[in-house]
Structure formats: C-alpha cells, structure tokens
C-alpha cells in the first residue's frame, strides 16, 4: 500500500526538487538552500521561525509541506545506553528509531559517540521467523521524508539535551539502517533519503558512517554496488548453510547462498570496503560448531567482519540465546582463523534489542484499549 500524505514532507525534498517546486510557484530557486538550512542546520520547529523568508512564502510552505512528518510519542530511555523513540506518522502508523550511546572514557553519556538505528518500513514482509518486526507482516513502505525525519527528530531531541556548537551539523556519529523493515525492499525511498542525509545541504553525514543492513536481496545488493555513494553494507546471514538459513529466513529460497554471496563479494570489490556479516546466535538452531566452521570459511572468502549477536527474546516467540560458554566456543572457531569478529555482550549495545517490539506492544495496547 502506498501512503499519500496530505502535504509532502519537506524532509523528502532534495535541493533540486525543492528548487523546481519554488520556480513553479514563481519564487527564486536560491530560496531552496535557505529553506533547507532552516530545516537541517538551524533546526526550525515552525515555518514562522524562518524570518529571512517573506510571509507569503512561509504561508505557501505551510500549505504545501509537512515540516515534521514523524511526531515523537514516546521516548523510552533505558538504564543502559539505548534510547528508543516511538514515532507516529501522518496515518497513525508507528515506527521505531533507536539512539545507541557508546560511552567514551572521561566524558559523560551526553558526549558519548552516538549511532542512530532507523526504520525503512512499517512492519516487514520478509518473514524471518525470529524477528518482531515481521510478525504482523508489512503495513507499508516509508516515504523518503519519513526516513529522514527520524534523524531530524533525533537532532531536535539531542539539541534540547546538549547545546551544540553553532556549525556542528548532526547530533550523532553513525547511522545504521537496522530498524524495522527490509531497506532494500524500499530501495528508491531509501536511496533518496540517504542522499539527503549525506548531502552538504542536508545533514552532511559521510557515506562511510552509514551502514545498510539487508536480509539478502541479491539483485538489490548488486544495484547498490553501482550507486555513486559508497554506503557500508551489512548482511544478515544467520545461517552458514542453505539448510539452516532456509529454516529461519524464507528469503533464502529466492536467493540462496550461491546467489547471495557472490553479490556481496561484488559489492565489497566495487567499494573496496569490508562488509559485515551479522549472525544472531539462536540456541539449537545455528550455533553448532559445524555452522561456526562454515561461517568462518564464508568470512575468510569475503574478507568480511563478523558480528555475533546473542539472540534477544521476543514476546510470543520460542527462540532463545545459547549459553555464554557456547557463544564463546562459537566465536573462538572464528578467532582461531584470524577472522575479524565481535561478540556483542553488553545489553545496551544490542541495538536490535527489541527493535520492532516497542511498536508491537503499543499496537496491541491500542487495539485492546
Ligand atoms: N531487515 C534488515 C534490517 C533490519 S533487522 C535485516 O534483516 O538485515 C536488523 C538486524 O536485527 C538483523 O540482522 C536482524 O536479523 C536482527 N534481529 C532481528 N530480530 C532480532 C532479535 N530478536 N535478536 C537479535 N537480532 C535480531
Ligand atoms: Fe524483516 Fe530484517 Fe526482521 Fe527479517 S530480520 S523480518 S528482513 S526486519
């Protein structure tokens, strides 16, 4: 289903598209840069604030565009380092954005490095059996402007907490596209959004600080490799053989490893960057030594970094993480062959921790009350 909002989000406009809209309505094109400066640099919260624009232009903007297409409904700060935002869109759909703070030595949490995890769809159609985001299927794709708005909301929130240096742009360091949804299934909106996020007239975030995570849509990975902007890629592998992967990720039937891995290799060659393989460890499903050895071989072949993530339980699903000993034994198989590997341990670093679950809970509360 495609969502057509009453007013287009201003956060979905590129400099070119906004210039074209202004010209059509008889305004000079240079106003576009001024407007985007108000949105991304000065972070205006209302059109009235944009005082270097005429009253008429401000009225036209207010009638034509939505300044903030994602409203903050809940900010759930955990005791650890994650901060979850529940946002409501124009059609009352709910999405999640997560701020992950990585504490730096000697400075408070406010000055920690921040990674923002953003969503690209409401729900997900991929049907991975372990994932909360896909439990109720796909509701709809996000618009480019709704993807960008998540980051702008984070900036507004962080600005209120810590006054920023005048010309400091974004209030965070990295973006991971690992929230709700399969980003490459909403390819055009994703690319438009990340182009805006990357541009100097937008949020000015370097491509190397943006990681797209995919469940493995091989043709789209090849397409992404051809894009001029070199984003980072993470592949949700979760099974080192077709047999195991197919059990938990239906996408593997359409794109089995023999198709998927060469696409990832082509991406890595093209951009000369290390790809990350994500591997959630699920007790009794994919945590055998045989899987560890197969994963090691794939990682060595692709010269990839491996991120081992102990599974986070999801309400209503039977899966659980293996014991810490079993996790370590699995990791050691990779370490012994000098594969670059991290085993996530601190709870707060589990960025996927409950991604999709906050929305699910709220949806359930809404329908039951
Ligand atoms: N759809 C994309 C990006 C969103 S999911 C993808 O699948 O890559 C982001 C990551 O969280 C994926 O690696 C996904 O497999 C993982 N994930 C989903 N549910 C999880 C859970 N309960 N515990 C740990 N990781 C989970
Ligand atoms: Fe969708 Fe990713 Fe969840 Fe799979 S793991 S259902 S692709 S969000």
């Amino acid at each position: 289903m495609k969502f057509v909002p009453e007013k287009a989000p201003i956060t979905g406009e590129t400099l070119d598209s906004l210039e074209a809209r202004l010209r059509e309505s008889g305004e000079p094109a240079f106003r576009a840069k001024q407007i985007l400066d108000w949105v991304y640099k000065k972070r205006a919260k209302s059109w009235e604030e944009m005082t270097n624009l005429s009253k008429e232009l401000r009225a036209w903007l207010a009638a034509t565009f939505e300044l903030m297409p994602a409203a903050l409904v809940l900010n759930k700060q955990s005791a650890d380092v994650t901060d979850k935002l529940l946002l409501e869109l124009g059609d009352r759909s709910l999405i999640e954005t997560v701020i992950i703070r990585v504490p730096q030595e000697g400075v408070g949490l406010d000055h920690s490095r921040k990674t923002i995890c953003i969503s690209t769809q409401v729900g997900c159609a991929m049907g991975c059996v372990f994932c909360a985001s896909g439990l109720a299927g796909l509701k709809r794709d996000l618009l480019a402007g709704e993807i960008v708005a998540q980051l702008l909301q984070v900036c507004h929130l962080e600005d209120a907490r810590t006054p920023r240096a005048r010309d400091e742009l974004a209030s965070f360091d990295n973006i991971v596209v690992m929230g709700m949804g399969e980003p490459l299934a909403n390819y055009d909106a994703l690319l438009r959004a990340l182009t805006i996020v990357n541009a100097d007239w937008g949020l000015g975030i370097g491509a190397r600080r943006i990681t797209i995570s995919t469940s493995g849509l091989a043709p789209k990975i090849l397409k992404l490799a051809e894009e001029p902007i070199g984003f980072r890629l993470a592949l949700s592998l979760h099974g080192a053989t077709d047999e195991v992967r197919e059990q938990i990720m239906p996408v593997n039937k359409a794109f089995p490893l023999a198709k998927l891995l060469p696409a990832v290799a082509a991406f890595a060659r093209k951009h000369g960057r290390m790809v990350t393989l994500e591997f959630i460890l699920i007790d009794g499903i994919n945590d055998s030594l045989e899987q560890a050895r197969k994963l090691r071989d794939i990682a060595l072949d692709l010269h990839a970094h491996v991120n081992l993530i102990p599974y986070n339980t999801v309400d209503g699903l039977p899966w659980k993480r293996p014991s810490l000993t079993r996790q370590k034994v699995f990791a050691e198989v990779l370490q012994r062959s000098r594969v670059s590997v991290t085993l996530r341990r601190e709870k707060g670093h589990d960025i996927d921790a409950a991604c999709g679950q906050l929305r699910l809970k709220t949806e359930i509360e809404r329908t039951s009350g």
Side-chain angles (χ1 to χ4, degrees), residues 177 184 187 190-191 194 207-214 216-235 259-277 301-305:
V177 189
L184 299 188
Y187 192 94
L190 173 79
L191 257 281
L194 294 183
R208 268 179 297 169
R209 298 200 275 143
I210 303 175
T211 303
I212 301 169
S213 174
T214 178
L217 301 179
K220 294 287 170 61
I221 293 174
L222 291 172
K223 192 169 175 199
L224 191 65
E226 297 306 318
E227 298 288 346
I229 311 180
F231 302 110
R232 287 184 185 273
L233 182 72
L235 173 70
K259 275 208 179 114
L260 178 57
L261 298 178
V264 175
F267 184 95
R269 262 199 313 276
K270 186 86 187 183
H271 289 290
R273 296 227 178 99
M274 224 181 187
V275 163
T276 297
L277 301 176
D301 232 33
L302 290 172
H303 190 58
H305 174 78

Side-chain angles (χ1 to χ4, degrees), residues 124 126-128 130-131 133 181-182 215:
C124 184
M126 305 309 295
C128 305
F130 48 80
C131 175
S133 296
E182 167 49 51
S215 59

Side-chain angles (χ1 to χ4, degrees), residues 41-42 58 83 88 91 113 136 174 205 215 252 342 354:
K41 315 282 196 291
K42 303 197 192 96
R58 278 182 271 159
D83 200 346
E88 189 177 65
D91 61 350
R113 287 184 69 81
N174 295 295
I205 308 289
S215 59
N252 197 72
T342 40

Side-chain angles (χ1 to χ4, degrees), residues 66-84:
E66 195 64 64
L67 183 56
M68 181 44 82
L72 182 65
V73 286
L74 189 69
N75 173 7
K76 200 172 168 196
Q77 237 172 325
S78 27
D80 55 32
V81 293
T82 58
D83 200 346
K84 284 185 204 111

